[in-house]
Amino acid sequence: MNYETKLLSTSEYDITYAAKLLADGEVVGIPTETVYGLAADAENEEAVKNIFKAKGRPQDNPLIVHIADISQLEEYVYDVPQLAYKLAEKFCPGPLTMVLPKKNRIPNVTSAGLDTVGIRIPYHPAARKLIQESGKALAAPSANLSGSPSPTTAMHVMNDMNGRIPAIVDGGSCPVGVESTVISFENGKIRLLRPGFISADELSEFSEVICDKHITEAAIEGEQVRSPGMKYKHYSPKANITIISGSREQYIDYVNSHGGDGIYAMPFSRDECYCRIPCIPYGDTSEEQASKLFAVLREFDDIGAKQVYAYCPFVDGVGLAVYNRLLRAAGFEIITL
Ligand code: AMP
Ligand code: MG
């Protein structure tokens, strides 16, 4: 792993170059509508091993496989319920990952030894072109070093992956900003394993949605989780993050009386003007907060923050995805005022 990492554009020439790298079994940083992915041929064991190496990802944390079209689904998985096709009609291409029983062509290293695999059809035009031109299903976890905030710009990927991979395709900022909604199917019901831009409410129009308890609760050591990502500390900047829950007025009073060296506030944007300690706001609506969250967490690292007090996001709709990521970034540390 000692590459001179090239920054590519989304020009036809550069996409063809990146697609060739992927077809040849290399690992490439790619834009998607959720976050940047670290992509490789999902069926090539060596290529997939190199994703784990580049990220420093635990071997038991499975990768999501990205395909170009729903018509390819049953090439990779079986026992697909009708419900999956109904959801796909509404949400695919888009930020929805469906966990289904995997066919043997998906190697165990990709599914981290599980007999299921998460499949997603990305909406982002560059991601779609790369899948089509390489002719490969692409395994792609988020393109950050394991444990760090996910990358939402090509520069974030460069900061983490420079020298570790041959190329990154720069497709601009990721519009959604948080990783895909991950679901599995249970007796005609939908189990929400990871909240994302597609919310439980939207899914519940199709069937009952069971929200896994580990979306908002830490797994106890050794506890069985349905989705391996639930047990890892995740999305963490170097600063200690604490979530503050209470009214906006209580939050402002709290941060204004807890200032000090390296201490920052992370308020809603409309409250920035009331903060008398340094702060980086993260938006007002849940959609805006989703798109900004990881970039803001990375900014705190760039300025050397030691302690960040974040105002608790909304916990409904897309807000649940923001809350889920922030909880993990904070190591589940919440102060309720
Ligand atoms: P990332 O690749 O960083 O977006 O993380 C993907 C996450 O999706 C993993 O950490 C898992 O929690 C979840 N996931 C992927 N595949 C499966 C699967 N087969 N079963 C359950 N969860 C999965
Ligand atoms: Mg990740």
Side-chain angles (χ1 to χ4, degrees):
M1 273 199 298
N2 199 5
Y3 294 96
E4 200 171 306
T5 306
K6 282 198 178 91
L7 196 58
L8 303 173
S9 73
T10 51
S11 69
E12 241 172 75
Y13 183 87
D14 278 7
I15 291 285
T16 301
Y17 179 83
K20 171 94 173 47
L21 286 174
L22 290 165
D24 289 345
E26 296 282 358
V27 178
V28 177
I30 68 164
T32 82
E33 67 274 26
T34 57
V35 301
Y36 273 74
L38 207 54
D41 176 358
E43 294 180 72
N44 179 331
E45 285 188 37
E46 284 313 306
V48 171
K49 279 184 194 159
N50 284 334
I51 296 179
F52 281 90
K53 236 186 260 169
K55 272 184 72 87
R57 182 173 174 108
Q59 301 282 333
D60 65 346
N61 197 358
L63 307 184
I64 290 169
V65 172
H66 298 72
I67 59 175
D69 194 88
I70 192 70
S71 63
Q72 295 173 296
L73 187 63
E74 292 191 49
E75 292 174 27
Y76 301 96
V77 292
Y78 63 94
D79 273 355
V80 181
Q82 265 314 306
L83 178 57
Y85 283 107
K86 284 197 190 132
L87 292 172
E89 224 170 84
K90 173 90 187 265
F91 300 116
C92 300
L96 180 69
T97 297
M98 299 193 279
V99 172
L100 290 158
K102 80 172 181 74
K103 288 194 170 165
N104 282 339
R105 63 189 287 184
I106 299 289
N108 285 333
V109 57
T110 303
S111 67
L114 298 176
D115 49 18
T116 54
V117 65
I119 303 266
R120 180 163 106 78
I121 303 166
Y123 178 80
H124 196 289
R128 300 180 65 72
K129 275 191 210 151
L130 287 165
I131 298 168
Q132 280 156 350
E133 277 204 37
S134 65
K136 306 288 183 192
L138 298 179
S142 52
N144 50 289
L145 287 173
S146 197
S148 297
S150 298
T152 53
T153 69
M155 266 309 126
H156 295 159
V157 183
M158 190 58 100
N159 288 341
D160 281 17
M161 290 297 148
N162 193 10
R164 293 171 170 262
I165 56 174
I168 299 162
V169 176
D170 185 352
S173 293
C174 303
V176 170
V178 287
E179 303 85 345
S180 58
T181 304
V182 179
I183 59 167
S184 62
F185 300 96
E186 261 180 44
N187 307 322
K189 296 178 187 161
I190 298 167
R191 179 174 285 275
L192 183 64
L193 297 171
R194 179 174 72 183
F197 191 76
I198 295 169
S199 67
D201 275 354
E202 285 176 280
L203 294 169
S204 68
E205 285 175 26
F206 293 82
S207 181
E208 187 182 328
V209 177
I210 309 160
C211 283
D212 203 281
K213 72 168 182 168
H214 290 119
I215 287 172
T216 53
E217 273 178 40
I220 302 160
E221 228 187 289
E223 190 181 2
Q224 276 274 351
V225 291
R226 285 192 173 78
S227 193
M230 290 168 165
K231 64 181 182 219
Y232 293 109
K233 183 160 176 167
H234 244 123
Y235 320 119
S236 290
K238 293 183 192 83
N240 187 66
I241 309 278
T242 307
I243 300 174
I244 308 290
S245 166
S247 72
R248 287 164 58 202
E249 290 73 21
Q250 286 173 316
Y251 172 72
I252 300 294
D253 284 348
Y254 187 89
V255 296
N256 286 344
S257 58
H258 284 79
D261 184 34
I263 300 179
Y264 289 81
M266 190 176 132
F268 281 19
S269 295
R270 64 188 169 205
D271 291 331
E272 180 181 9
C273 55
Y274 305 117
C275 291
R276 291 196 305 274
I277 70 167
C279 68
I280 307 178
Y282 74 117
D284 285 314
T285 65
S286 295
E287 286 76 10
E288 205 185 336
Q289 291 172 349
S291 79
K292 282 189 168 165
L293 178 70
F294 289 131
V296 166
L297 292 180
R298 281 175 179 260
E299 245 183 273
F300 282 120
D301 275 351
D302 295 342
I303 57 179
K306 293 184 193 130
Q307 169 68 49
V308 175
Y309 293 115
Y311 186 51
C312 191
F314 304 111
V315 297
D316 58 344
V318 186
L320 185 62
V322 178
Y323 182 57
N324 166 271
R325 305 316 188 269
L326 198 53
L327 262 180
R328 281 168 170 75
F332 291 87
E333 191 187 335
I334 304 191
I335 295 175
T336 305
L337 300 175

